Structure formats: structure tokens, C-alpha cells
């Protein structure tokens, strides 16, 4: 059984995240510093039908994490980096 977090915890976590995103973090070491916006372009990929459910599950699992979660685009970036490394690019 998980211990329930105090009421103020979610509010403070949300406030810290907003400060980090805006670059106004009070404690830059704690927040990881200002977040630089990433310029993205749309690129259409076709995915095998059997992988779609796993993809949605992975994204949902990451969104469910309180800290350190990755968005769908961040997961795609990670996957591409792994492919680039594997193929020496």
C-alpha cells in the first residue's frame, strides 16, 4: 500500500515545473535549470499495426510518472538517437 502524499505536494510540484518551464526557477540546481524550447517539425511515419498499442501504452506509462516523465515527442527523439547510435550516424 502506497503512502498518500500531503495535499500541498502536488501544488508545489506543479509550481516548480511551471517555474522550470518558464526559466524562472528559484533553485536552478533542483529544477535542472531553464528549459530551452525545442523546435520541432512534423514528420509522418507509418507504424506496423501491432506496435501501435505498445506505443500508446508506453506513452501512457510515462505520463503517469510524477517526475522525469517523457512526452511522446521526447520518446521519439530517444528512439531516433538509439537508431543513430546503432548505425553510426
Amino acid at each position: 500500500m502506497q503512502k498518500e502524499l500531503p495535499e500541498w505536494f502536488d501544488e508545489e510540484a506543479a509550481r516548480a515545473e511551471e517555474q522550470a518551464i518558464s526559466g524562472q526557477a528559484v533553485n536552478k540546481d533542483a529544477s535542472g535549470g531553464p528549459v530551452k524550447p525545442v523546435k520541432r517539425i512534423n514528420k509522418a511515419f507509418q507504424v506496423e499495426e501491432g506496435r501501435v498499442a505498445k506505443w500508446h501504452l508506453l506513452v501512457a506509462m510515462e505520463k503517469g510518472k510524477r517526475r522525469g516523465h517523457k512526452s511522446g515527442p521526447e520518446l521519439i527523439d530517444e528512439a531516433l538517437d538509439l537508431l543513430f547510435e546503432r548505425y553510426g550516424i
Side-chain angles (χ1 to χ4, degrees), residues 24-80:
Q24 309 256 336
V26 176
N27 183 345
K28 291 186 184 350
D29 293 333
S31 69
V35 176
K36 294 179 185 173
V38 176
K39 184 176 179 183
R40 297 198 176 272
I41 61 168
N42 286 328
K43 183 71 180 161
F45 291 96
Q46 293 184 357
V47 181
E48 279 186 37
E49 196 172 329
R51 291 188 170 121
V52 173
K54 288 180 183 178
W55 170 253
H56 289 296
L57 178 61
L58 175 61
V59 172
M61 287 170 44
E62 280 295 309
K63 283 184 180 178
K65 292 181 180 177
R66 280 198 182 274
R67 296 181 185 266
H69 68 277
K70 293 181 180 177
S71 65
E74 290 170 324
L75 290 168
I76 292 292
D77 289 344
E78 183 178 345
L80 288 171

